Amino acid sequence: MKIFTAEQIRNCDQYTIKNEPVSSVHLMERAAEACVEWISENCNHHRNFVVFCGNGNNGGDGFAIARMLYQKGFDIDVFTNTKIKFSTDAQENFRHIKEISGITIREFKEVLNYRFDSRTVIVDALFGTGLSRSLNGDVKDLVEFLNQKKNIKISIDLPSGLLADTVSDSDSVVFMADYTLSFQFWKKSFLHAETGKFAGKVEILDINLSEDFIEETETGDFVIDDEVIKNIFKIRSEFSHKGTYGKAAIIGGSYGKMGAVVLSTRAVLKAGAGLTFTVAPKCGYEILQTSDPEAMFIEGGKDYIENFDVEETAVCGIGPGLGTHEKTAKSLLKFLKSCSKPVILDADALNIIAQDPANLNLIPEKSIITPHPKEFERLFGKTENSFERTELAKNKSRELHIYIVLKDHHTQIITPEGNVFYNITGNSGLAKGGSGDILTGIITSFLAQKYSEQEAAILAVWFHGKAAEFASEKHSKESMLPSDVINEFGNVFSELNDKVQKLL
């Protein structure tokens, strides 16, 4: 799914109005109907809705939603500012609710005396994507007041005070939604830590904006949705053998850190590579041969890696549990100097490279690196926020011609062409040591299976998150282990095969 800027979304609205054709007020009606359908299905145990409407088109959506909810039998109160002129479409929908005696219309200032009971749902339709500044004055005070309420809060299209495309000022007041009902598209601000926390759970509602506009309009930002994954995933041929699915090698481990390389190796195996090798120090021999007997062991040193001798045709994933011993670092840099094909670099492999900026130039072109934010900072320097970090990652990806898997709540895959793919699978259960080692194994396995670098990174990050969702259903986010995530790989593959088979 493409991610559009606020301006592109407005252009999409206008294109739809002109070319469908449909009037702007009827498009607003369509958006409101989609919201009311979702609210009716998901809030059917609540009877009272308090809708806060601004004077622009987001407020117009709110007025239409209030009317439709009332017609479905809900109790509705509307708060607005009648002293300020409404937009044309908002005025039209305000006129409709004024004609309904059962809907009470109040001024914003009256909210202080309003009784919110436990079953009251607050609907925020104050400001949408047209907002370009921080909230101030009475509306700022209103949002601060509403944020203190424990009631369920739903934002329409965008939480009021949130900017669609960038981070707000650090002292900005933003409506804290439990749910955001977003029209047609994800907004970039939903996908970054500093801003996404205000959106709660995001629901994308299809309001039938122009498919022609969406297809023809270029963007460099995308959400990894089911359509993206269906176009990448390859069903296995019955006429295949282990050579069909490539050779993968995990290089890592050191005394006291063998668990990381065990998890990464197991992930390679379970993600489907044909042949799997593990290059690890001798101290991990018994551990690896016992825990992952399907993988072949190659001794790389005694207590830490001293050489990177590996099967020449194998795809290498380097870093889990590697350590940063001087001899390991020297051997890694020597290996990278002689390596002409892409590798996957994670964890201590990145920490070794970060010791000298010149080491970045040793990374083979089209390689995949998988830093978490702190590792990224060591490699490329500090940034003020995650939006700036993404821009820096785009620059470095172009400069070095590598793929950067920037790990976060919504992990981003950044390509040398400057495209950013945001992942929306996964959960906080992955916030445990070992989760990144698994991801390295999955990427290595998929690259060995002849997926392109971009495909392997996108599919692996999505796959990793999907397995975590299955694991959390069984074990909870708190108790699930990285090994539980690996154990769900089969269920993810089953679901993928079912989805792709339906398209054939």
Side-chain angles (χ1 to χ4, degrees):
M1 178 187 289
K2 291 180 176 180
I3 301 172
F4 284 162
T5 64
E7 182 180 0
Q8 286 174 316
I9 293 170
R10 286 192 290 273
N11 292 339
C12 188
D13 287 344
Q14 292 305 311
Y15 186 96
T16 303
I17 289 166
K18 179 180 178 181
N19 291 279
E20 186 171 329
V22 61
S23 69
S24 58
V25 75
H26 277 92
L27 184 59
M28 185 177 285
E29 195 85 354
R30 209 150 72 191
E33 287 173 352
C35 291
V36 169
E37 181 179 352
W38 186 92
I39 292 170
S40 298
E41 289 178 1
N42 292 277
C43 301
N44 52 10
H45 294 301
H46 298 266
R47 302 311 309 161
N48 185 38
F49 288 80
V50 186
V51 187
F52 291 84
C53 300
N55 298 80
N57 284 347
N58 194 245
D61 294 329
F63 292 137
I65 289 166
R67 168 170 48 84
M68 294 177 192
L69 286 173
Y70 176 80
Q71 291 167 345
K72 284 184 171 289
F74 295 100
D75 297 328
I76 306 297
D77 290 289
V78 171
F79 284 82
T80 191
N81 185 353
T82 59
K83 307 283 192 302
I84 299 176
K85 184 179 179 181
F86 294 113
S87 70
T88 301
D89 291 342
Q91 179 63 47
E92 175 74 8
N93 276 308
F94 181 62
R95 183 178 63 80
H96 287 317
I97 66 165
K98 284 176 66 178
E99 295 171 353
I100 301 173
S101 60
I103 295 179
T104 303
I105 300 173
R106 306 171 189 267
E107 296 291 331
F108 287 151
K109 62 184 179 182
E110 297 179 61
V111 73
L112 296 175
N113 300 316
Y114 187 81
R115 182 178 177 274
F116 292 85
D117 65 34
S118 61
R119 297 181 68 190
T120 298
V121 176
I122 297 172
V123 179
D124 158 40
L126 293 167
F127 294 97
T129 56
L131 187 70
S132 58
R133 54 177 174 76
S134 298
L135 300 181
N136 55 33
D138 292 344
V139 72
K140 175 183 175 182
D141 294 339
L142 172 63
V143 170
E144 287 182 320
F145 176 80
L146 294 176
N147 281 346
Q148 295 173 14
K149 297 297 178 185
K150 303 300 183 185
N151 303 73
I152 290 176
K153 302 181 186 71
I154 301 173
S155 282
I156 304 304
D157 202 32
L158 191 71
S160 291
L162 190 66
L163 305 179
D165 306 322
T166 189
V167 66
S168 306
D169 294 336
S170 58
D171 59 349
S172 295
V173 172
V174 180
F175 186 84
M176 184 68 78
D178 296 299
Y179 300 91
T180 295
L181 309 184
S182 181
F183 301 139
Q184 203 76 45
F185 307 104
W186 284 82
K187 279 74 170 176
K188 189 183 289 189
S189 60
F190 296 163
L191 298 160
H192 285 261
E194 301 92 339
T195 48
K197 63 185 179 182
F198 295 105
K201 182 172 172 50
V202 176
E203 301 287 344
I204 306 300
L205 306 183
D206 186 352
I207 60 171
N208 295 316
L209 294 181
S210 170
E211 291 183 6
D212 289 341
F213 181 94
I214 294 170
E215 184 175 342
E216 294 167 8
T217 301
E218 294 187 1
T219 179
D221 297 319
F222 304 86
V223 164
I224 304 170
D225 59 10
D226 284 355
E227 286 304 311
V228 171
I229 295 304
K230 287 175 187 175
N231 289 330
I232 292 175
F233 180 66
K234 305 168 187 175
I235 291 179
R236 287 197 168 208
S237 168
E238 294 300 325
F239 295 92
S240 59
H241 51 82
K242 62 186 177 184
T244 307
Y245 303 109
K247 299 176 182 178
I250 292 296
I251 306 175
S254 55
Y255 186 82
K257 295 182 179 179
M258 295 310 301
V261 76
V262 166
L263 289 170
S264 195
T265 299
R266 191 174 303 163
V268 172
L269 292 163
K270 293 283 281 186
L275 285 170
T276 302
F277 302 87
T278 305
V279 180
K282 186 178 180 180
C283 64
Y285 173 76
E286 288 86 359
I287 296 170
L288 280 156
Q289 289 287 270
T290 302
S291 59
D292 296 328
E294 298 89 348
M296 289 167 276
F297 181 88
I298 300 174
E299 185 178 320
K302 183 182 178 183
D303 290 328
Y304 47 82
I305 297 286
E306 295 183 57
N307 66 72
F308 284 73
D309 293 335
V310 68
E311 170 71 34
E312 186 177 342
T313 58
V315 172
C316 295
I318 308 170
L322 185 66
T324 57
H325 191 279
E326 182 181 349
K327 289 185 178 180
T328 302
K330 185 177 179 180
S331 296
L332 172 62
L333 298 178
K334 180 182 178 181
F335 172 79
L336 293 176
K337 284 178 184 177
S338 65
C339 187
S340 59
K341 63 180 184 178
V343 296
I344 297 93
L345 297 168
D346 182 33
D348 282 333
L350 298 177
N351 292 329
I352 290 170
I353 291 169
Q355 291 172 3
D356 184 344
N359 292 337
L360 289 168
N361 296 314
L362 299 179
I363 301 175
E365 288 193 357
K366 300 179 74 176
S367 290
I368 302 169
I369 68 172
T370 63
H372 57 56
K374 205 65 183 176
E375 290 166 343
F376 182 87
E377 182 181 305
R378 294 186 196 115
L379 287 166
F380 302 118
K382 289 186 177 183
T383 53
E384 289 297 317
N385 55 62
S386 66
F387 288 84
E388 286 189 10
R389 186 166 63 231
T390 299
E391 288 305 310
L392 178 58
K394 287 165 68 175
N395 292 336
K396 293 301 180 181
S397 180
R398 288 192 193 98
E399 177 187 324
L400 300 170
H401 202 72
I402 60 174
Y403 295 83
I404 300 178
V405 175
L406 190 51
K407 292 186 283 196
D408 211 331
H409 177 62
H410 292 297
T411 292
Q412 300 150 48
I413 296 90
I414 298 161
T415 76
E417 296 77 26
N419 294 326
V420 181
F421 293 85
Y422 289 85
N423 185 55
I424 55 174
T425 61
N427 54 51
S428 59
L430 288 172
K432 286 189 174 79
S435 296
D437 303 314
I438 293 171
L439 179 59
T440 297
I442 304 170
I443 298 173
T444 304
S445 188
F446 288 160
L447 196 57
Q449 293 173 63
K450 306 300 187 294
Y451 288 97
S452 71
E453 290 78 16
Q454 178 171 307
E455 290 172 338
I458 290 172
L459 180 59
V461 171
W462 178 92
F463 188 99
H464 185 230
K466 199 70 176 176
E469 291 175 4
F470 283 126
S472 68
E473 288 175 6
K474 290 183 180 178
H475 305 284
S476 83
K477 296 171 187 175
E478 293 81 4
S479 291
M480 61 185 267
L481 297 173
S483 53
D484 296 323
V485 176
I486 295 174
N487 291 336
E488 296 299 330
F489 284 12
N491 289 325
V492 180
F493 276 124
S494 294
E495 182 176 297
L496 267 175
N497 276 284
D498 288 344
K499 285 181 178 179
V500 175
Q501 288 280 9
K502 289 176 182 177
L503 297 178
L504 300 179

